[in-house]
Amino acid sequence: MAELSYDAAGVNIDEATAGLASAKPLIRSTHTANVLSELGSFGGLFAASFPGYEDPVLVASIDGVGTKTLLAETPSHFQGLGRDLVNHCVNDILCQGARPLFFLDYFGTGRLRGVELQSVIAGVAEACSAVGCALIGGETAEMPDVYAPGRFELAGTVVGVVERSRVLPRSEIRGGDVLIGLASDGLHTNGFSLARRVFAQDLDSLREELLAPHRCYFSSLFPVPDEILAIAHITGGGLVDNIPRVLPEGTYVSIDRSSWKEPEIFVQIRSRGVPDSEMLQVFNLGVGMVLIVRQGTEKLAVERLGSVGETAWIMGRVLEGNREVRFE
Amino acid sequence: MAELSYDAAGVNIDEATAGLASAKPLIRSTHTANVLSELGSFGGLFAASFPGYEDPVLVASIDGVGTKTLLAETPSHFQGLGRDLVNHCVNDILCQGARPLFFLDYFGTGRLRGVELQSVIAGVAEACSAVGCALIGGETAEMPDVYAPGRFELAGTVVGVVERSRVLPRSEIRGGDVLIGLASDGLHTNGFSLARRVFAQDLDSLREELLAPHRCYFSSLFPVPDEILAIAHITGGGLVDNIPRVLPEGTYVSIDRSSWKEPEIFVQIRSRGVPDSEMLQVFNLGVGMVLIVRQGTEKLAVERLGSVGETAWIMGRVLEGNREVRFE
């Protein structure tokens, strides 16, 4: 029984080492002045020094890219998933007004391939660099028997900072305030289990479209201007579940569904028999972010967002009521 | 095709909601004074205020519990895995002298069961409370087709803080300094793919022993006294790979293997044909943490550690050489 080794048990440390080695320069390139640790230490070190902040608050979020991973085939797809992961997390903490400080990624798989790991890290590092976020930690776990063959998990944690007096959502949201939608780039990272089922026969022809990157809204929205009272990231649960997360008691929102045109991919999913109630709760339906802006500032806000490359439109209003979303 | 729903596609949102609802009081009970957010917000908020620290440094680590998950059957096992996850991460950042501030957990599975989710979170919350760490975020992902049936992934991120002048390892480690071993409680969270293979026929009788919780060394070692120059958490890679992570250039360590008795579980694994080189790199072999202490302080350190409930012993020395581990 001399063949009893980690390798024979399905754990291949060399592939991890090789994949990680080639990704090191990319990881280092994300390191901001606050990063104090070298790669390979037990924990990543980040100076808790935030010049310009009077009362800094850390904002942290952990998330994954879900079953979007099941569509990845090429190194470029793996790189895209790395970007998706970071962008998803960065958008999440932007909902509280934060800018990202550092990121840690987790890659779990049944059988590790160095080129896949390297591609994922390249995408993570690239998306981190784009928003000034340092990649200070990560873990790669090879777990035969946990994952179905060829399957993997990609998750990560972002930690950001926001001035305490500028934490979103603001408490002064009230009836009359206005909802602005920001266009998504396709499904982002939600609803893939359902989409894969719906498109079972046609997955190959739609693969690139479904893998469109999760859009990052950070550069368009930060620093968050005074007129924006709340930001909701439209992920799992859709408009229905995510908007109430930022609504104060005593308010609801009314959304005009004719205010935007659902992108073709959602029309196709719908046409294959998915009921509207399900569409609304599973997909973003073309709306990546919803902003609540102070009444009277909406036109200027839409204009400003358009000028930085976002497709933005007035999609509804805040009214007095019971923390829900109604469609007109 | 009206049956096309998230539920029919294998995603059951109600189970997640139920499991999470019953865990909420446990999550809230971990919240320290720095926690500013309510459950359900997009990101967890934690005041970046560290009274008593002159130059605070954040220390972050992400990790999982590996294939130890494959042994879990009962709610109590799931709770144990939650504790394992936190303890593993807390030990990791303790290697740099940090105390934990907050934690975020990630639970990915093929088919979510509310009771399992609740048990995992209960274990996470319990282990967090024990070390004054706030559970401020988490994500549950149900991903049919990613996981083999009944399989799941448990990962998490800890963020802690350390005074900059007290970051470990210290640079003054040199020849003559002494290695102290701290006993582990079994396998902790490493080597399970190999252990499961070795014990294939006898897994049932060894299940409880293999699931012994990953020991948390925080309360015994924090605040880290001056004589401790480095701490190495013995996880994947064993003594061989983890000790060099804290060694400065120009030093190596010599370990006396007769200084401790390998626990019976490792003797059993070895007796089934796993070569020694593999044993050394895959398992902790009974050593959960290795400390490097200043020459001359080792006896007092061992005594002090014994008085707080650790099994501690002098296991070797630092010598001048080439950043490696040699066994005598």
Side-chain angles (χ1 to χ4, degrees):
Chain A
M1 283 183 76
E3 83 288 1
L4 275 178
S5 67
Y6 228 35
D7 195 52
V11 180
N12 184 349
I13 293 172
D14 292 342
E15 280 280 320
T17 308
L20 198 59
S22 49
K24 273 186 183 175
L26 296 167
I27 298 173
R28 279 209 192 86
S29 72
T30 69
H31 284 188
T32 54
N34 287 57
V35 177
L36 306 175
S37 52
E38 262 306 297
L39 306 186
S41 51
F42 283 94
L45 301 180
F46 193 92
S49 148
F50 312 109
Y53 286 75
E54 276 183 25
D55 194 357
V57 172
L58 300 175
V59 186
S61 183
I62 191 165
D63 222 312
V65 297
T67 53
K68 192 171 185 175
T69 58
L70 294 170
L71 294 174
E73 292 183 335
T74 68
S76 144
H77 294 159
F78 279 83
Q79 193 166 344
L81 292 174
R83 285 193 300 260
D84 286 334
L85 175 66
V86 173
N87 292 351
H88 185 147
C89 290
V90 167
N91 287 344
D92 268 351
I93 64 168
L94 181 59
C95 293
Q96 281 158 313
R99 72 173 170 89
L101 297 170
F102 59 84
F103 196 86
L104 305 96
D105 70 293
Y106 182 90
F107 185 61
T109 182
R111 186 76 186 162
L112 192 75
R113 292 184 192 88
V115 64
E116 293 173 358
L117 174 62
Q118 186 197 346
S119 302
V120 163
I121 297 179
V124 167
E126 181 189 339
C128 279
S129 286
V131 295
C133 180
L135 178 55
I136 65 166
E139 171 70 6
T140 304
E142 193 169 25
M143 305 201 288
D145 305 335
V146 170
Y147 293 94
R151 306 297 157 82
F152 64 99
E153 169 76 88
L154 183 59
T157 299
V158 69
V159 175
V161 67
V162 59
E163 181 65 47
R164 186 159 178 172
S165 62
R166 304 203 53 93
V167 170
L168 297 179
R170 306 240 175 113
S171 55
E172 66 255 40
I173 296 172
R174 46 186 54 94
D177 290 334
V178 180
L179 263 64
I180 292 177
L182 295 185
S184 64
D185 290 337
L187 274 63
H188 285 179
T189 51
N190 286 99
F192 279 85
S193 291
L194 183 51
R196 281 176 51 251
R197 196 175 143 101
V198 166
F199 291 131
Q201 313 302 326
D202 314 306
L203 263 189
D204 272 339
S205 60
L206 289 165
R207 190 176 307 273
E208 297 302 323
E209 184 172 356
L210 288 168
L211 282 169
H214 196 129
R215 187 173 181 88
C216 181
Y217 299 90
F218 177 75
S219 305
S220 299
L221 292 174
F222 191 88
V224 181
D226 286 336
E227 71 266 20
I228 296 182
L229 306 174
I231 304 177
H233 187 201
I234 309 306
T235 56
L239 294 162
V240 181
D241 284 354
N242 285 294
I243 297 177
R245 295 169 79 178
V246 300
L247 286 181
E249 288 296 334
T251 61
Y252 79 97
V253 301
S254 165
I255 291 181
D256 174 7
R257 291 184 75 174
S258 71
S259 69
W260 81 102
K261 192 172 170 295
E262 274 178 28
E264 181 58 24
I265 189 89
F266 300 108
V267 175
Q268 281 190 49
I269 294 173
R270 193 187 287 281
S271 74
R272 299 189 184 210
V274 179
D276 187 52
S277 60
E278 197 74 13
M279 293 296 298
L280 279 167
Q281 204 151 20
V282 173
F283 299 107
N284 66 56
L285 300 182
V287 190
M289 286 286 215
V290 172
L291 315 180
I292 298 178
V293 303
R294 209 183 302 276
Q295 184 168 19
T297 67
E298 63 270 24
K299 284 191 182 159
L300 186 65
V302 166
E303 212 176 281
R304 184 188 284 185
L305 289 160
S307 75
V308 294
E310 299 295 338
T311 301
W313 69 94
I314 294 167
M315 67 184 294
R317 290 219 167 248
V318 176
L319 295 158
E320 282 171 30
N322 198 13
R323 281 187 87 216
E324 59 180 336
V325 177
R326 293 197 208 156
F327 296 97
E328 320 288 331
Chain B
M1 286 180 75
E3 82 288 0
L4 276 177
S5 68
Y6 228 36
D7 194 53
V11 180
N12 185 349
I13 292 170
D14 292 343
E15 280 279 321
T17 308
L20 198 59
S22 48
K24 273 185 185 176
L26 295 167
I27 298 173
R28 279 210 191 85
S29 72
T30 69
H31 284 188
T32 53
N34 286 56
V35 178
L36 305 176
S37 52
E38 261 308 295
L39 306 186
S41 50
F42 283 94
L45 300 181
F46 192 92
S49 147
F50 311 109
Y53 286 75
E54 276 184 24
D55 195 356
V57 173
L58 300 175
V59 187
S61 183
I62 192 165
D63 223 311
V65 296
T67 53
K68 192 172 184 175
T69 58
L70 293 170
L71 294 174
E73 291 184 336
T74 68
S76 143
H77 294 158
F78 280 83
Q79 193 166 344
L81 292 174
R83 284 192 300 259
D84 287 333
L85 175 66
V86 173
N87 292 350
H88 185 146
C89 290
V90 167
N91 287 344
D92 268 352
I93 64 168
L94 181 60
C95 293
Q96 282 158 312
R99 72 173 170 89
L101 297 170
F102 58 85
F103 195 86
L104 305 96
D105 70 293
Y106 182 89
F107 184 62
T109 180
R111 185 76 186 163
L112 192 75
R113 291 184 193 87
V115 63
E116 292 172 359
L117 174 62
Q118 186 197 345
S119 302
V120 163
I121 297 179
V124 167
E126 181 189 338
C128 279
S129 287
V131 294
C133 180
L135 178 56
I136 66 166
E139 171 71 5
T140 305
E142 193 169 24
M143 306 202 288
D145 305 335
V146 170
Y147 294 94
R151 306 297 158 82
F152 63 100
E153 169 76 90
L154 183 59
T157 299
V158 70
V159 175
V161 66
V162 60
E163 180 65 46
R164 187 158 179 174
S165 62
R166 305 204 52 94
V167 169
L168 297 179
R170 308 241 174 112
S171 55
E172 67 255 40
I173 296 172
R174 48 186 51 96
D177 291 334
V178 179
L179 264 63
I180 292 178
L182 295 185
S184 64
D185 290 336
L187 273 64
H188 285 177
T189 51
N190 286 98
F192 280 85
S193 291
L194 183 51
R196 282 176 50 250
R197 196 175 143 100
V198 166
F199 291 131
Q201 312 302 326
D202 313 307
L203 262 189
D204 272 339
S205 60
L206 289 165
R207 191 176 307 272
E208 298 302 324
E209 184 172 357
L210 289 168
L211 282 168
H214 196 129
R215 186 174 182 87
C216 182
Y217 299 91
F218 177 74
S219 305
S220 300
L221 291 175
F222 191 86
V224 181
D226 286 338
E227 71 264 21
I228 296 182
L229 305 175
I231 304 177
H233 187 199
I234 308 306
T235 57
L239 294 163
V240 181
D241 285 355
N242 285 294
I243 297 177
R245 295 169 79 179
V246 300
L247 286 181
E249 288 296 334
T251 60
Y252 79 97
V253 299
S254 164
I255 290 182
D256 174 6
R257 290 184 77 173
S258 72
S259 69
W260 81 99
K261 192 171 169 295
E262 275 180 26
E264 181 59 23
I265 189 88
F266 300 108
V267 175
Q268 282 191 48
I269 294 173
R270 192 187 287 281
S271 74
R272 298 187 184 212
V274 179
D276 188 52
S277 61
E278 197 73 13
M279 293 296 298
L280 278 168
Q281 204 150 21
V282 172
F283 299 106
N284 67 56
L285 300 182
V287 190
M289 287 285 215
V290 172
L291 316 180
I292 299 178
V293 303
R294 209 183 302 276
Q295 183 168 19
T297 67
E298 63 269 24
K299 284 191 183 160
L300 187 65
V302 166
E303 210 175 282
R304 185 189 281 188
L305 289 160
S307 75
V308 294
E310 300 295 338
T311 301
W313 69 96
I314 294 167
M315 66 185 294
R317 289 219 167 251
V318 176
L319 295 158
E320 282 172 31
N322 198 13
R323 282 187 87 215
E324 60 180 336
V325 177
R326 293 198 208 156
F327 296 96
E328 321 289 330

